[in-house]
Amino acid sequence: MMIQLKNIEKNFGDLQVLKNVSLDVAEGAVMALVGPSGGGKSTLLRCINLLEIPTAGSVEIAGDRLEFQPGVKPSTKQIQLLRRHTGMVFQNFQLFPHRTVIENVTEGLTTVLKWPKEKARERAKALLEKVGLAHKSEVWPSTLSGGQQQRVAIARALAPSPKVLLCDEPTSALDPELSGEVVDVLAQLAREGTTMVMATHDLRLASRIANEVIVLDGGVIVETGTSRDIFTQPKHERTKRFIATLTHDGHMHGEGI
Ligand SMILES: Nc1ncnc2c1ncn2[C@@H]1O[C@H](COP(=O)(O)OP(=O)(O)OP(=O)(O)O)[C@@H](O)[C@H]1O
Ligand SMILES: [Mg+2]
């Protein structure tokens, strides 16, 4: 398994946000996390790259494993070891506004990994090519459309060759036309065998590229299945209610399901 989460608990003070969450993601698999707002999707993603430290349970990525106990904080070194296996893409892109597109992609390579500048630029160029933005290398992020900015953010996340790509609502800040180009890039990465976990309300995205869909509600996994199972024949009452809300508020695009 590329990712193994065992019995993850996460509390914020008295609020229990994740309850006994266990899941496995095989190498090359794509998992979509869906469910109502506040269900714990972002928190779960952040527990995988340790932006949040789980209260209890264990996280294993690419063979490196960390166990958590209430009140015990892992060392920075332990956190870095796991985090470096991951790349993260956020809803609002989070590009550096005062760096050009290519500098956004090289930044982590030169500062964190201490790559020589030329080598980092070569890698960045190849990635920008992959996401269809080689011609935008030298512009400022603010001159790009949202879909283009998100593709730069994907290139940046992939720059250090992480073992897994984590995406938190990668298309939800985008109009349907622009989200399409981001879905295309993610679909290509999936075909190439990139292991991905994504939180999304975008059923088009989930149904097109996820091998497995997990429904999180109230911090627990209420249902797991293929996208077809979850979106067309949900079993649990809570999943049915959630799918019904999507079909009513415009999130459901109806394509590819
Ligand atoms: N840093 C924090 N401090 C306190 N509570 C938090 C914190 N982060 C998240 N929560 C709470 O944890 C719960 C789960 O939030 P989370 O953001 O993981 O949900 P989500 O499924 O990603 O929702 P959405 O679909 O709206 O993005 C919510 O009740 C939220 O208020
Ligand atoms: Mg969220």
Side-chain angles (χ1 to χ4, degrees):
M1 282 299 149
M2 183 59 88
I3 304 175
Q4 267 193 309
L5 305 185
K6 288 207 177 121
N7 311 112
I8 294 291
E9 308 271 338
K10 179 62 186 177
N11 302 342
F12 290 110
D14 290 340
L15 185 67
Q16 223 189 338
V17 172
L18 295 175
K19 299 165 195 164
N20 201 29
V21 172
S22 297
L23 58 82
D24 293 342
V25 187
E27 182 169 3
V30 178
M31 177 177 282
L33 307 174
V34 305
S37 185
K41 302 179 294 295
S42 297
T43 305
L44 184 57
L45 282 176
R46 293 165 63 83
C47 280
I48 297 176
N49 65 5
L50 306 181
L51 284 176
E52 297 290 354
I53 302 301
T55 306
S58 67
V59 174
E60 180 175 324
I61 311 175
D64 289 314
R65 186 161 182 274
L66 255 184
E67 289 203 31
F68 303 93
Q69 282 167 27
V72 182
K73 200 175 163 359
S75 70
T76 308
K77 202 171 161 191
Q78 289 174 311
I79 292 173
Q80 289 300 347
L81 177 67
L82 258 74
R83 188 175 294 156
R84 286 198 185 164
H85 291 318
T86 69
M88 181 90 156
V89 172
F90 302 91
Q91 172 173 356
N92 54 356
F93 329 132
Q94 299 200 7
L95 297 176
F96 306 115
H98 303 300
R99 300 240 193 283
T100 62
V101 162
I102 194 162
E103 286 168 355
N104 266 274
V105 182
T106 57
E107 174 84 11
L109 297 176
T110 53
T111 59
V112 181
L113 299 181
K114 311 290 181 205
W115 281 30
K117 205 171 163 201
E118 265 320 301
K119 186 179 167 200
R121 282 184 69 87
E122 286 306 308
R123 169 90 180 135
K125 276 184 195 156
L127 285 165
L128 288 170
E129 186 88 45
K130 191 188 204 45
V131 301
L133 289 171
H135 61 297
K136 295 287 188 185
S137 295
E138 303 303 332
V139 309
W140 301 110
S142 59
T143 66
L144 299 180
S145 72
Q148 291 172 329
Q149 290 186 50
Q150 190 62 298
R151 287 187 282 148
V152 174
I154 291 168
R156 180 178 62 177
L158 293 172
S161 304
K163 299 275 189 190
V164 299
L165 184 65
L166 307 174
C167 303
D168 196 355
E169 308 280 356
T171 58
S172 58
L174 304 171
D175 294 338
E177 312 88 272
L178 295 182
S179 76
E181 66 191 44
V182 171
V183 173
D184 288 342
V185 165
L186 293 172
Q188 189 198 335
L189 294 173
R191 277 197 302 276
E192 292 170 0
T194 310
T195 308
M196 287 189 253
V197 183
M198 57 179 69
T200 185
H201 284 99
D202 186 340
L203 297 197
R204 180 172 57 169
L205 173 62
S207 57
R208 191 163 147 205
I209 74 173
N211 308 104
E212 193 174 20
V213 176
I214 285 199
V215 184
L216 262 184
D217 188 353
V220 298
I221 295 178
V222 296
E223 192 163 347
T224 302
T226 63
S227 52
R228 182 171 287 273
D229 290 343
I230 300 286
F231 299 137
T232 66
Q233 39 191 312
K235 290 194 180 62
H236 291 259
E237 205 45 51
R238 286 207 272 182
T239 313
K240 286 181 191 165
R241 254 185 281 142
F242 165 65
I243 299 296
T245 63
L246 290 184
T247 52
H248 287 122
D249 70 5
H251 282 300
M252 175 89 102
H253 298 286
E255 291 169 40
I257 295 175

